């Protein structure tokens, strides 16, 4: 893919920033379901601030601002679950997972605003496929698209038990996702035997890419959710990649893997299992390297070049960057740290 562009001047490292973007909006996974039990409260760092994540006795999950609307006590430090409500440790006010005040133990009259609407900021939340997703938007806009249907997760009996992983990566989502179209790095960083072809397209929040005509193909549903299949012949292995901004320069990436229950001991099962081990950098007997051992070294230390010096062998990097722009609110496209 030829994306050669005229560049009149190469910026020095002192002029560059690591992650000059706002935190994007979209659906993001903030926890695996099995990691939080009914009655449990957790303090989570995401989107540049703290939140409380909690599960009620009925199993429903909430993720809210951690500071009580009453006098500002932190609900995650000393707070308790009372049934399905989170209780403030300071004066025992209770709130449900949508942010409504449900009880003031010593008050006779609920404050007027609390009778009309939620007073504790709560993020829209969906628990699906053993994962907890929240919708984040810096201006609190309602969800603009739905989470995808993933056929492999719809048929748990026909697929192996899901393998869960998590990594903290020292860069922003845009830099991580750019790898999906930067195929030359597969040869020179990962040790692949060749530079594969890649095709990519975008339509609204959906991003599709195909490496080497179906060898690896994926669909992104906004910046935080990506379903990728690694294929060898008729064998497919799902890598469900979920990246969530911790802050502007740190991303927590979760990956869930599964594949069809091929016959035990069969060549197909061995192939699918090898694809999984390769993806997490634990495959034996091969020279190519998984992302944890090589990509993270680059991501943790690189700076973003808004005016990259591209050559005729580079993939559709600028198409990816144009796709990502839609998820930023308040971004100044004329800022020299961002403009491309």
């Amino acid at each position: 893919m030829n994306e050669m562009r005229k560049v009149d001047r190469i910026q020095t490292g002192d002029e560059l920033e690591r992650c000059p973007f706002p935190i994007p909006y979209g659906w993001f996974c903030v926890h695996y379901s099995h990691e939080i039990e009914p009655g449990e409260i957790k303090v989570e760092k995401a989107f540049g601030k703290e939140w409380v994540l909690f599960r009620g006795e009925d199993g429903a999950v909430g993720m809210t601002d951690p500071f009580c609307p009453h006098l500002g006590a932190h609900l995650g430090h000393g707070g308790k679950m009372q049934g399905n409500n989170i209780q403030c440790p300071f004066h025992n006010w209770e709130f449900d997972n949508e942010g409504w005040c449900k009880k003031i133990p010593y008050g006779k009259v609920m404050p007027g605003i609390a009778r009309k609407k939620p007073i504790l900021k709560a993020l829209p939340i969906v628990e699906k496929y053993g994962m907890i997703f929240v919708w984040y938007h810096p201006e609190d806009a309602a969800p603009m698209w739905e989470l995808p249907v993933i056929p492999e997760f719809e048929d748990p009996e026909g697929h192996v038990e899901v393998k869960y992983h998590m990594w903290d990566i020292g860069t922003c989502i845009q830099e991580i996702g750019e790898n999906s179209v930067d195929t030359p790095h597969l040869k020179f960083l990962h040790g692949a035997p060749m530079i594969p072809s890649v095709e990519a397209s975008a339509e609204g929040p959906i991003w599709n890419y195909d490496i080497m005509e179906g060898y690896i193909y994926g669909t992104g549903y906004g910046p935080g959710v990506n379903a990728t299949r690694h294929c060898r012949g008729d064998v497919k292995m799902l890598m469900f990649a979920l990246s969530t901004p911790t802050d502007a320069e740190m991303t927590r990436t979760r990956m869930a893997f599964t594949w069809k229950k091929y016959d035990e001991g069969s060549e197909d099962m061995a192939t699918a299992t090898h694809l999984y081990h390769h993806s997490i950098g634990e495959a034996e007997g091969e020279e190519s390297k998984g992302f944890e051992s090589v990509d993270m070294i680059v991501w943790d230390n690189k700076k973003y070049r808004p005016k990259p010096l591209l050559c005729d062998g580079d993939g559709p990097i600028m198409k990816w960057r144009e796709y990502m722009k839609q998820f930023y609110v308040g971004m100044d496209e004329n800022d020299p740290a961002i403009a491309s």
Side-chain angles (χ1 to χ4, degrees):
M1 181 68 68
N2 189 335
E3 290 206 3
M4 295 179 67
R5 304 158 65 249
K6 183 179 179 181
V7 177
D8 297 320
R9 178 179 170 276
I10 306 299
Q11 293 171 293
T12 67
D14 291 341
E15 298 173 83
L16 302 176
E17 297 181 29
R18 281 184 34 77
C19 302
F21 309 99
I23 292 174
Y25 66 79
W27 286 104
F28 300 97
C29 178
V30 294
H31 235 54
Y32 291 129
S33 296
H34 65 267
E35 294 176 323
I36 183 165
E37 300 290 334
E40 191 173 3
I41 300 171
K42 292 194 172 187
V43 178
E44 295 292 320
K45 176 75 179 294
F47 320 120
K49 58 164 287 183
E50 281 191 340
W51 305 81
V52 283
L53 181 73
F54 55 91
R55 190 187 292 280
E57 289 183 357
D58 63 357
V61 181
M63 185 162 168
T64 73
D65 186 285
F67 299 105
C68 181
H70 176 216
L71 286 174
H74 197 300
L75 302 175
H77 295 285
K80 298 178 181 178
M81 292 301 298
Q82 297 293 333
N84 300 323
N85 301 329
I86 187 169
Q87 183 187 73
C88 176
F90 203 8
H91 298 87
N92 286 10
W93 288 36
E94 295 182 17
F95 306 89
D96 67 11
N97 62 2
E98 294 182 348
W100 287 89
C101 183
K102 306 301 289 186
K103 183 178 180 181
I104 301 174
Y106 58 89
K108 296 180 179 179
V109 179
M110 184 78 68
I113 190 173
R115 296 196 299 269
K116 297 176 182 178
K117 62 181 183 180
I119 56 173
L120 182 66
K121 180 176 179 176
L123 297 180
I125 196 162
V126 173
E127 189 165 12
K128 186 176 185 180
Y129 301 141
M131 303 158 204
I132 299 170
F133 298 89
V134 300
W135 171 266
Y136 171 77
H137 191 286
E139 296 180 350
D140 299 328
M144 299 175 187
W145 63 88
E146 295 182 354
L147 287 164
V149 173
I150 305 298
E152 292 90 338
F153 293 144
E154 294 284 330
D155 178 27
E157 296 301 317
H159 290 78
V160 302
E161 184 177 354
V162 177
K163 319 295 183 186
Y164 299 99
H165 295 269
M166 185 183 75
W167 297 269
D168 287 321
I169 302 174
T171 192
C172 59
I173 283 179
Q174 178 165 322
E175 290 278 66
I176 296 171
E178 196 162 286
N179 268 21
S180 69
V181 290
D182 176 15
T183 52
H185 95 282
L186 297 176
K187 175 177 174 62
F188 300 106
L189 185 65
H190 292 269
M194 61 179 290
I195 299 175
S197 61
V198 60
E199 297 292 333
S201 63
E203 183 176 353
I206 305 301
W207 171 260
N208 289 298
Y209 71 98
D210 187 331
I211 296 175
M212 214 162 71
E213 299 181 345
Y215 194 69
I216 301 173
Y217 65 93
T219 300
Y221 304 86
V225 178
N226 185 286
T228 294
R229 276 86 181 181
H230 294 248
C231 309
R232 299 296 182 272
D234 294 330
V235 176
K236 295 182 180 180
M237 187 273 300
L238 170 69
M239 180 178 76
F240 198 48
L242 308 162
S243 291
T244 301
T246 302
D247 55 37
E249 295 191 2
M250 180 65 70
T251 302
R252 175 158 287 183
T253 294
R254 295 172 174 86
M255 291 187 184
F257 299 84
T258 191
W259 55 91
K260 185 179 176 182
K261 281 184 179 176
Y262 300 105
D263 291 339
E264 199 64 39
S266 68
E267 184 177 345
D268 285 350
M269 179 60 86
T271 298
T273 304
H274 179 81
L275 288 171
Y276 161 63
H277 285 138
H278 171 77
S279 295
I280 61 172
E282 295 181 358
E284 296 181 358
E286 61 178 32
E287 295 183 0
S288 61
K289 304 175 182 66
F291 87 94
E292 185 176 10
S293 63
V294 288
D295 284 307
M296 288 179 64
I297 296 172
V298 174
W299 287 329
D300 286 350
N301 296 283
K302 78 187 296 290
K303 286 188 174 183
Y304 177 76
R305 281 203 176 274
K307 295 183 181 297
L309 186 63
L310 301 177
C311 72
D312 59 341
D314 287 312
I317 287 171
M318 303 312 294
K319 183 179 287 188
W320 164 256
R321 293 185 177 190
E322 189 63 32
Y323 163 77
M324 279 296 298
K325 284 181 181 178
Q326 67 183 300
F327 304 111
Y328 299 124
V329 175
M331 183 177 73
D332 180 3
E333 294 188 19
N334 296 314
D335 185 332
I338 297 171
S340 56

